[in-house]
Amino acid sequence: MTSDAIKTFPKHFLWGAATAAYQVEGAFQQDGKGLSIWDVYSHLPGTTYQRTNGDIAADHYNRYQEDVGLMAEMGLKSYRFSIAWTRIFPKGTGTINPKGIEFYNNLIDELLKYDIVPVITLYHWDLPQDLQDMGGWENRELVDIFAHYAKTCFECFGDRVRYWITFNEVINFIMLGYRDGLHPPGVRDEKRALEVSHIVNLAHAQSVTEYRKLVREKKILDGRIGIAHVLLPGFPISNTEEDVQACEFYEDMDFHWFYDPSLKGEYPERMRAWYQDRWQAPIIMAGDMDLIKSAAIDFIGINYYQSAFLAHNPSDGVGMAAINVTGEKGTQQESGIPGLFKKVINPKIEYTPWDWAIYPEGLYEGMKRIRERYGDIPIMITENGLGDKDPIGENGEILDYPRIEYLREHIRWCKRAIDDGINLIGYFAWSFIDLLSWLNGYQKQYGFVYVDRQKGLKRIKKQSYFWYRKLIQTNGEELQG
Ligand code: BG6
């Protein structure tokens, strides 16, 4: 893209960065916090890279003031973080833990002190273990239990917080947790995964309903509520009819199945019929679709890291591949669903050390597809970033130039989207600070701020920190360079 097209971003554009509780907070047993499924799962042998876990993480729970200070110095306009459900309700429901409320009150107040807009995610995968013990997301009781937790958060923090995200990446915690058995609860059963996807949609809808009620009653600020989905658009690897159809099926399965309920209040008909035929799932009860349909959202959050290149997969073709957690290039195999599609390596594209296709244009194409299918819904890029092993210079500087390049190119396509009239309201880089990368431990870094695990978790600003600061200061002018 030529730089001529780049001018400035809208005046109140939310330049942000994001994290999630389990990945950054640590303090996993401090001040009355209960155990989440990740606290338990990551302690089981063979679940994560070199047995890493979030027990300490970046210890953000105890260092939030220092971290918010770094955000302020960077000029961050907004910070997206998630609430650890087990800090508010150690057992998922029942008695509130006042210390948990106090922590998030302090964090929010600290952000507001510097005019940093808080964006809160209610569920970033750390389900209370006690709720898992009663069936987790397979138990319909969780719809009300989640809505109660959400309502509690709205009531406690909604006097100062205007942006809410109910769930982060429904597809990932469900498919990795229930289809691939790689995340907790470690189940491999597609039928169960589908049931969960429906129950989570109900929980999302019920919590949106609670939110609207509190706003109507003027008990909280009249803010905005949405959900954050994965955006991983598909592109056929060739123009053949077979590959194009494979790509269309992939988009129905991985994109529309998750976005349609949130944005249209329904499931895509072809997929619904296909799942019913194959697994008689999900079970949709009377009133379910009315609830889902009634819960319109104000914006859609999208997490974009990569695109998928699709080819036809013969019936005896490849199945799902294990995830590359080692960070060695080329260890990710092709993967897919026999008879339907497979994700293939595109030789024309650069890949990260974790074999994620770097394709900035895919972010733009994905946003266009959202607008085509769902209309002019405001879009917030809730995550975008490069997971890398950052080079360290002779004097300890973190030379993460590939991250700068990655972010710059993606943000250029954001500007193009805005120029084309797409209603983009914010961009949140993943992540503000180096944090636990779920299965990949601490070797896969995303942050603007490095955490020296050899030196008492000392914070060091990376090159990208200075670059992003300039980008924010100039409201995107830096992209000209
Ligand atoms: C998203 C999640 O899937 O991508 C984040 O919302 C996660 O929590 C990020 O860290 C990158 O994934 P990973 O596996 O490289 O950490």
Side-chain angles (χ1 to χ4, degrees):
M1 196 197 321
T2 67
S3 53
D4 307 352
I6 312 290
K7 293 188 197 84
T8 50
F9 280 75
K11 199 163 167 223
H12 298 293
F13 193 70
L14 292 175
W15 290 111
T19 64
Y22 181 68
Q23 297 178 271
V24 78
E25 283 181 4
F28 82 119
Q29 287 182 308
Q30 203 174 315
D31 292 341
K33 178 184 168 298
L35 293 182
S36 78
I37 52 175
W38 271 96
D39 293 321
V40 175
Y41 182 78
S42 62
H43 282 255
L44 301 175
T47 52
T48 63
Y49 177 73
Q50 295 184 346
R51 307 199 69 163
T52 36
N53 59 52
D55 292 2
I56 298 171
D59 196 30
H60 175 70
Y61 183 79
N62 292 303
R63 300 170 197 233
Y64 73 91
Q65 283 172 309
E66 181 186 354
D67 291 341
V68 174
L70 285 164
M71 291 175 205
E73 194 186 326
M74 193 190 206
L76 216 59
K77 303 279 183 212
S78 186
Y79 174 52
R80 172 185 176 225
F81 61 95
S82 79
I83 291 182
W85 189 339
T86 48
R87 287 199 197 281
I88 307 297
F89 290 108
K91 293 182 177 305
T93 187
T95 315
I96 292 182
N97 172 30
K99 280 284 191 189
I101 304 284
E102 186 184 317
F103 170 68
Y104 293 109
N105 269 334
N106 289 342
L107 174 60
I108 291 163
D109 290 344
E110 195 69 13
L111 291 166
L112 294 176
K113 189 166 110 186
Y114 297 106
D115 291 327
I116 300 171
V117 175
V119 175
I120 293 187
T121 310
L122 291 168
Y123 187 79
H124 203 121
W125 308 354
D126 43 357
L127 185 74
Q129 181 63 40
D130 282 88
L131 298 182
Q132 186 60 49
D133 294 343
M134 55 183 268
W137 290 113
E138 291 177 87
N139 184 342
R140 273 187 171 241
E141 282 179 56
L142 259 75
V143 174
D144 286 338
I145 293 175
F146 176 76
H148 176 65
Y149 154 66
K151 183 176 179 220
T152 306
C153 294
F154 301 145
E155 284 171 339
C156 292
F157 313 122
D159 57 334
R160 287 153 291 157
V161 175
R162 286 183 187 277
Y163 289 96
W164 296 91
I165 291 164
T166 56
F167 283 87
N168 179 69
E169 295 193 350
V170 175
I171 187 174
N172 269 347
F173 77 84
I174 294 179
M175 291 307 166
L176 292 167
Y178 287 88
R179 182 191 64 193
D180 306 336
L182 291 167
H183 280 198
V187 171
R188 286 170 192 258
D189 184 325
E190 278 146 313
K191 182 174 160 66
R192 286 168 67 185
L194 276 171
E195 296 299 356
V196 167
S197 78
H198 182 60
I199 292 173
V200 167
N201 283 330
L202 295 171
H204 158 79
Q206 186 69 30
S207 62
V208 172
T209 308
E210 295 290 355
Y211 180 76
R212 301 281 180 228
K213 194 160 170 268
L214 289 170
V215 170
R216 259 197 324 274
E217 291 166 357
K218 299 202 183 333
K219 292 194 171 140
I220 58 173
L221 293 177
D222 186 3
R224 302 278 173 266
I225 191 162
I227 189 168
H229 281 311
V230 170
L231 178 67
L232 213 162
F235 298 90
I237 195 77
S238 82
N239 293 332
T240 64
E241 187 62 24
E242 276 187 324
D243 289 349
V244 169
Q245 281 178 9
C247 184
E248 281 171 8
F249 199 93
Y250 159 80
E251 288 245 309
D252 246 4
M253 185 177 253
D254 275 22
F255 172 20
H256 307 148
W257 180 260
F258 294 93
Y259 279 68
D260 279 15
S262 311
L263 291 167
K264 292 169 93 178
E266 62 193 36
Y267 289 108
E269 191 43 43
R270 168 165 67 162
M271 280 323 301
R272 210 191 55 77
W274 195 80
Y275 284 139
Q276 285 299 329
D277 192 42
R278 214 166 161 132
W279 291 301
Q280 295 77 55
I283 297 166
I284 297 175
M285 295 200 200
D288 284 0
M289 295 318 293
D290 293 338
L291 174 63
I292 290 174
K293 209 167 191 106
S294 70
I297 51 177
D298 302 309
F299 67 92
I300 182 77
I302 56 173
N303 294 357
Y304 179 82
Y305 291 87
Q306 55 174 329
S307 291
F309 297 93
L310 283 306
H312 169 69
N313 195 10
S315 305
D316 58 351
V318 294
M320 281 299 150
I323 280 181
N324 165 13
V325 292
T326 62
E328 303 306 320
K329 263 196 178 163
T331 50
Q332 183 73 65
Q333 308 135 20
E334 294 187 339
S335 72
I337 302 194
L340 291 172
F341 59 77
K342 62 179 172 182
K343 292 185 189 169
V344 296
I345 303 295
N346 182 343
K348 295 184 194 137
I349 297 281
E350 201 191 328
Y351 283 75
T352 75
W354 273 265
D355 297 326
W356 292 18
I358 303 177
Y359 193 51
E361 193 174 343
L363 172 57
Y364 169 76
E365 281 298 326
M367 286 193 269
K368 281 210 313 197
R369 288 179 198 178
I370 289 173
R371 183 172 59 180
E372 272 157 30
R373 193 170 175 92
Y374 306 110
D376 200 21
I377 177 94
I379 297 176
M380 181 190 278
I381 297 173
T382 34
E383 289 180 27
N384 175 233
L386 175 68
D388 205 358
K389 295 178 186 174
D390 294 336
I392 303 184
E394 280 175 13
N395 302 314
E397 331 85 284
I398 315 299
L399 307 172
D400 61 338
Y401 297 113
R403 175 162 304 107
I404 296 176
E405 190 54 23
Y406 178 100
L407 297 176
R408 180 188 281 131
E409 287 310 310
H410 284 79
I411 296 170
R412 280 190 164 147
W413 282 102
C414 293
K415 182 64 180 68
R416 166 88 180 264
I418 292 170
D419 287 344
D420 286 358
I422 286 175
N423 193 356
L424 183 61
I425 58 172
Y427 172 91
F428 292 73
W430 184 267
S431 52
F432 175 68
I433 191 166
D434 280 349
L435 37 67
L436 176 80
S437 169
W438 305 104
L439 302 179
N440 311 283
Y442 296 96
Q443 52 155 353
K444 190 178 189 185
Q445 296 157 274
Y446 282 95
F448 290 124
V449 176
Y450 178 80
V451 175
D452 193 336
R453 307 195 75 75
Q454 260 69 53
K455 292 199 183 135
L457 305 178
K458 185 173 167 227
R459 274 65 170 144
I460 302 171
K461 296 165 198 161
K462 301 185 190 180
Q463 292 305 308
S464 60
Y465 177 98
F466 301 108
W467 173 80
Y468 200 55
R469 182 168 70 180
K470 190 167 169 215
L471 182 89
I472 298 171
Q473 268 168 7
T474 60
N475 199 24
E477 292 281 348
E478 195 286 336
L479 295 169
Q480 309 269 16

